[in-house]
C-alpha cells in the first residue's frame, strides 16, 4: 500500500504540493488527474523516493521512505514498477535486451531464469516475433507495452504509470488501458495512473484523486466525480481533455 500523509513540496520558492494526503490500496487502480504542471509526475517521484517532500510522510507498506538512505530504497522501489511517459527504453538494445536489462543489473539470477522472465513478458505483452527488433521499429503502442513488460519483470506489487496513453492513437490507448485492467484482474496488481485525460479515468480507474493548484480537490470512487460541484471538475467533465 502507498500512502502520502500531509505532504508538502516546494521547488525553490514555488509551492507545488500543499498538504496532500492520498492512499492507494493494493489491488486497486487509482488515477491522479490534473492539468499540466500541477505536480502529477512529482507525486510519482515522491512515491519512488526519487525526491523528498519538505514536510509530511510517504509510506510504502507502512515504511516512511522519506527517512531512508538511497541503498535502503532499492528493495522498496522493486515493489513498484514504473512506466515512464516517454517509455525510457534503450534505443540501441533489442526488445529482449531492454526487458532483461534491469534484472541482469540488479538481481543475481541465472541466465535461464532471466530468459524465462523475459519470455513471460513477451507473451503477456503480445510481442512475439519482435524479440530481436530495436524499439525504433515498433509502433508507439508496442513500445509502451515493452515499457510495461520491463516494469513487470521484477514482479512488483504495484505499477506506476506516468501518462500511459499520451501520444497514442485511440486504438492503442484502449489496448494499453485493457492491459492495465488485465494486470489487476489476473495478476492482482495495483496501479497508480497519472493522467490529464479524463477518458483514461473512466476506462480503467476505480478511484480518482484530482489535483488542482497544489491541492487535492477530490479523492473518491470514479462514479462520484459527477456529484462534485467544484468548477474545475465541472469543466473537465464537460471538456473531457484538460487543455495544456
Ligand atoms: N526539478 C525541478 N525544479 C524546479 N521546478 C520543477 C522541477 N520539476 C518540476 N518542476 C516544476 O514543478 C511543476 C510540477 O511539475 P510536474 O512535472 O510534477 O507536473 P505534471 O503535473 O507532471 O505536468 P505535466 O502534465 O506537464 O507532465 C511544474 O511547474 C514544473 O515546471
Ligand atoms: Mg508529468
Amino acid at each position: 500500500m502507498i500512502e502520502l500523509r500531509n505532504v508538502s513540496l516546494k521547488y525553490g520558492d514555488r509551492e507545488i504540493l500543499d498538504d496532500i494526503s492520498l492512499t492507494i490500496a493494493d489491488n486497486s487502480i487509482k488515477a491522479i488527474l490534473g492539468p499540466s504542471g500541477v505536480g502529477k509526475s512529482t507525486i510519482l517521484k515522491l512515491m519512488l523516493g526519487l525526491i523528498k517532500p519538505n514536510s509530511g510522510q510517504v509510506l510504502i507498506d507502512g515504511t516512511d521512505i522519506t527517512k531512508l538512505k538511497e541503498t535502503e530504497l532499492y528493495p522498496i522501489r522493486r515493489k513498484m514498477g514504473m512506466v515512464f511517459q516517454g517509455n525510457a527504453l534503450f534505443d540501441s538494445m533489442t526488445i529482449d535486451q531492454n526487458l532483461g536489462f534491469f534484472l541482469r543489473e540488479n538481481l543475481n539470477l541465472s541466465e535461464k531464469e532471466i530468459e524465462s522472465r523475459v519470455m513471460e513478458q513477451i507473451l503477456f505483452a503480445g510481442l512475439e516475433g519482435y524479440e530481436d527488433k530495436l524499439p525504433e521499429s515498433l509502433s508507439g503502442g508496442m513500445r509502451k507495452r515493452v515499457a510495461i513488460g520491463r516494469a513487470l519483470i521484477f514482479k512488483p506489487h504495484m505499477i506506476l504509470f506516468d501518462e500511459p496513453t499520451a501520444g497514442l492513437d485511440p486504438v492503442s490507448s484502449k489496448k494499453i488501458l485493457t492491459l492495465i485492467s488485465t494486470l489487476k484482474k489476473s495478476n492482482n496488481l495495483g496501479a497508480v495512473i497519472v493522467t490529464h485525460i479524463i477518458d483514461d479515468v473512466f476506462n480503467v480507474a476505480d478511484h480518482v484523486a484530482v489535483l488542482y493548484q497544489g491541492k487535492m480537490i477530490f479523492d473518491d470512487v470514479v462514479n462520484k466525480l459527477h456529484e462534485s460541484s467544484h468548477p474545475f471538475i465541472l469543466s473537465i467533465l464537460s471538456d473531457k481533455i484538460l487543455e495544456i
Side-chain angles (χ1 to χ4, degrees), residues 100-198:
F101 181 79
F102 291 112
L103 272 188
R104 285 197 177 87
E105 292 287 299
N106 292 291
L107 293 190
N108 203 6
L109 296 177
S110 69
E111 199 51 34
K112 203 166 162 231
E113 171 70 8
I114 291 172
E115 278 168 23
S116 123
R117 288 216 200 174
V118 167
M119 184 46 70
E120 203 183 329
Q121 293 313 320
I122 290 277
L123 295 175
F124 176 75
L127 293 160
E128 303 95 316
Y130 292 89
E131 294 89 336
D132 299 326
K133 299 265 191 281
L134 292 175
E136 65 184 12
S137 61
L138 269 56
S139 69
M142 285 172 125
R143 283 201 291 271
K144 183 63 70 188
R145 301 210 300 269
V146 178
I148 295 174
R150 196 175 63 178
L152 289 175
I153 214 151
F154 281 107
K155 302 188 186 295
H157 306 176
M158 187 75 84
I159 183 157
L160 315 182
F161 292 91
D162 199 349
E163 306 272 1
T165 63
L168 296 182
D169 62 80
V171 174
S172 302
S173 293
K174 187 81 190 132
K175 276 193 193 162
I176 295 299
L177 296 176
T178 306
L179 199 67
I180 298 172
S181 298
T182 310
L183 285 173
K184 184 189 150 188
K185 286 195 205 99
S186 8
N187 301 36
N188 237 2
L189 212 73
V192 182
I193 298 175
V194 153
T195 186
H196 67 280
I197 301 171
I198 188 97

Side-chain angles (χ1 to χ4, degrees), residues 11 14 16 35-43 45 85 163 196:
Y11 285 128
R14 247 184 88 208
I16 305 294
S36 184
V38 75
K40 303 183 298 296
S41 299
T42 298
I43 289 186
K45 286 180 196 155
Q85 179 168 350
E163 306 272 1
H196 67 280

Side-chain angles (χ1 to χ4, degrees), residues 4-147:
L4 265 59
R5 229 181 251 172
N6 305 108
V7 164
S8 295
L9 178 124
K10 286 181 180 180
Y11 285 128
D13 289 340
R14 247 184 88 208
E15 182 147 69
I16 305 294
L17 302 175
D18 180 11
D19 198 22
I20 299 291
S21 294
L22 181 70
T23 303
I24 298 117
D26 291 343
N27 196 26
S28 81
I29 302 185
K30 182 146 192 165
I32 300 176
L33 180 74
S36 184
V38 75
K40 303 183 298 296
S41 299
T42 298
I43 289 186
L44 295 184
K45 286 180 196 155
L46 284 165
M47 289 172 176
L48 291 166
L50 296 170
I51 52 173
K52 295 201 189 299
N54 295 93
S55 59
Q57 296 176 309
V58 180
L59 300 138
I60 308 295
D61 293 333
T63 304
D64 182 6
I65 65 164
T66 64
K67 304 276 186 293
L68 299 184
K69 295 194 210 89
E70 187 62 21
T71 48
E72 292 169 326
L73 283 166
Y74 297 159
I76 305 266
R77 284 188 190 137
R78 268 185 228 131
K79 294 181 179 192
M80 295 175 284
M82 173 75 197
V83 180
F84 295 93
Q85 179 168 350
N87 301 321
L89 301 179
F90 301 107
D91 296 339
S92 59
M93 290 186 197
T94 64
I95 301 312
D96 259 3
Q97 289 166 340
N98 263 286
L99 286 169
F101 181 79
F102 291 112
L103 272 188
R104 285 197 177 87
E105 292 287 299
N106 292 291
L107 293 190
N108 203 6
L109 296 177
S110 69
E111 199 51 34
K112 203 166 162 231
E113 171 70 8
I114 291 172
E115 278 168 23
S116 123
R117 288 216 200 174
V118 167
M119 184 46 70
E120 203 183 329
Q121 293 313 320
I122 290 277
L123 295 175
F124 176 75
L127 293 160
E128 303 95 316
Y130 292 89
E131 294 89 336
D132 299 326
K133 299 265 191 281
L134 292 175
E136 65 184 12
S137 61
L138 269 56
S139 69
M142 285 172 125
R143 283 201 291 271
K144 183 63 70 188
R145 301 210 300 269
V146 178

